[in-house]
Amino acid sequence: MAAALAIGLMGAGLGAGTAMAAGGQAAKPQRADRAEIEAIVREYILSHPEIIPEAVARLEQAEGRKALAANRTALETPFPGTVSGNPQGDVKLVVFFDYACPYCRQGHADVARLLREDPKLQVIYRDFPVLSPASTEAAMASLSAATQGQYRKFHDAMFDSPGRVSLVRTMGIVKGVGLSEDKVTADLKNAALKAELDRNLVLGRDLGLTGTPSYVVGDRIMSGAVGYERLKEAVAAARAEKGR
């Protein structure tokens, strides 16, 4: 409201300073009038600095909506096997994560709770390894697990078991959940799986993601361990919007 008022002040002032010429042509605002209006707006902004983050947030939301519209199909077309929840869910929650990210471990518990409590939710996981080479190895193993029909089993084990991400730990989990160690080892160099990770990284860049975890639901992009309640609210808002 404050930002809109400031813009309205400028528009109203400039409008008042525009006279109609005899032939019906609009005359340009007088330079003195423009300077006066700009001074009023500047003073208003300085007196109400809270409008700046509000304006920035609105701009980011608008830019985010445009990016989502341009990338919606790619975003909601998962790599085979990397989906959990209801296959025909009315709301899709897309999760960008890195196995080496401690905040993703916290976010994993929040998403798991949502899946338990919301039978109409679909979750699409997108491996987004940005922290270390071990992150990339874990993500490649993750996609290999998807090709073996065991993505969620591997995914849960990676976050539910303690320890820093390393190739040794990743392969230990591969063995522990019953995946083919030979296939995963070969898939660590699989060009098709690496291409999927590259697509995720490009997609994240196009959406303006700055880290992990990041979530996309409906027209909302959220970054960081936002917590169960905010995720639940976002899912409910997306569901309500679809119902309109």
Side-chain angles (χ1 to χ4, degrees):
M1 292 295 292
L5 180 58
I7 294 171
L9 282 171
M10 177 175 281
L14 291 178
T18 301
M20 295 299 293
Q25 298 294 318
K28 293 182 180 180
Q30 296 296 317
R31 182 171 300 177
D33 291 341
R34 175 179 288 274
E36 182 179 352
I37 296 302
E38 288 177 351
I40 293 172
V41 173
R42 181 177 183 277
E43 179 61 29
Y44 184 88
I45 292 173
L46 291 175
S47 301
H48 300 82
E50 69 276 5
I51 72 173
I52 296 175
E54 177 187 342
V56 170
R58 290 192 180 189
L59 178 61
E60 289 177 344
Q61 289 170 5
E63 292 298 317
R65 283 193 293 271
K66 287 197 293 186
L68 284 172
N71 292 280
R72 181 71 67 182
T73 299
L75 180 70
E76 296 184 351
T77 303
F79 184 81
T82 61
V83 176
S84 192
N86 190 329
Q88 279 74 48
D90 63 341
V91 172
K92 301 177 190 293
L93 171 63
V94 185
V95 183
F96 288 79
F97 68 93
D98 186 320
Y99 285 116
C101 168
Y103 301 105
C104 293
R105 186 182 294 269
Q106 178 182 336
H108 168 69
D110 297 329
V111 173
R113 181 179 172 187
L114 276 175
L115 282 168
R116 289 193 303 269
E117 297 180 358
D118 189 338
K120 296 189 291 184
L121 178 66
Q122 180 184 118
V123 173
I124 298 171
Y125 296 101
R126 291 207 170 275
D127 291 82
F128 197 64
V130 293
L131 293 178
S132 70
S135 299
T136 300
E137 291 166 344
M140 293 288 279
S142 175
L143 294 180
S144 179
T147 68
Q148 299 180 55
Q150 299 289 338
Y151 183 88
R152 180 70 189 276
K153 194 173 182 180
F154 174 85
H155 180 81
D156 288 350
M158 284 292 291
F159 280 125
D160 291 341
S161 60
R164 187 174 182 177
V165 171
S166 67
L167 183 57
V168 171
R169 177 173 174 268
T170 295
M171 293 307 296
I173 290 175
V174 164
K175 182 178 180 180
V177 299
L179 295 173
S180 167
E181 295 177 71
D182 289 342
K183 177 166 174 46
V184 172
T185 298
D187 279 344
L188 292 177
K189 298 180 180 179
N190 186 310
L193 300 188
K194 182 60 168 59
E196 171 65 13
L197 295 187
D198 291 341
R199 281 191 290 270
N200 286 348
L201 293 171
V202 170
L203 183 57
R205 180 196 66 200
D206 290 347
L207 295 176
L209 305 187
T210 57
T212 55
S214 287
Y215 307 94
V216 180
V217 55
D219 288 329
R220 187 179 301 188
I221 300 174
M222 297 178 289
S223 294
V226 298
Y228 168 79
E229 291 299 334
R230 280 192 63 193
L231 287 175
K232 184 178 179 180
E233 289 169 4
V235 169
R239 185 167 284 140
E241 186 65 28
K242 289 191 71 171
R244 290 181 181 177

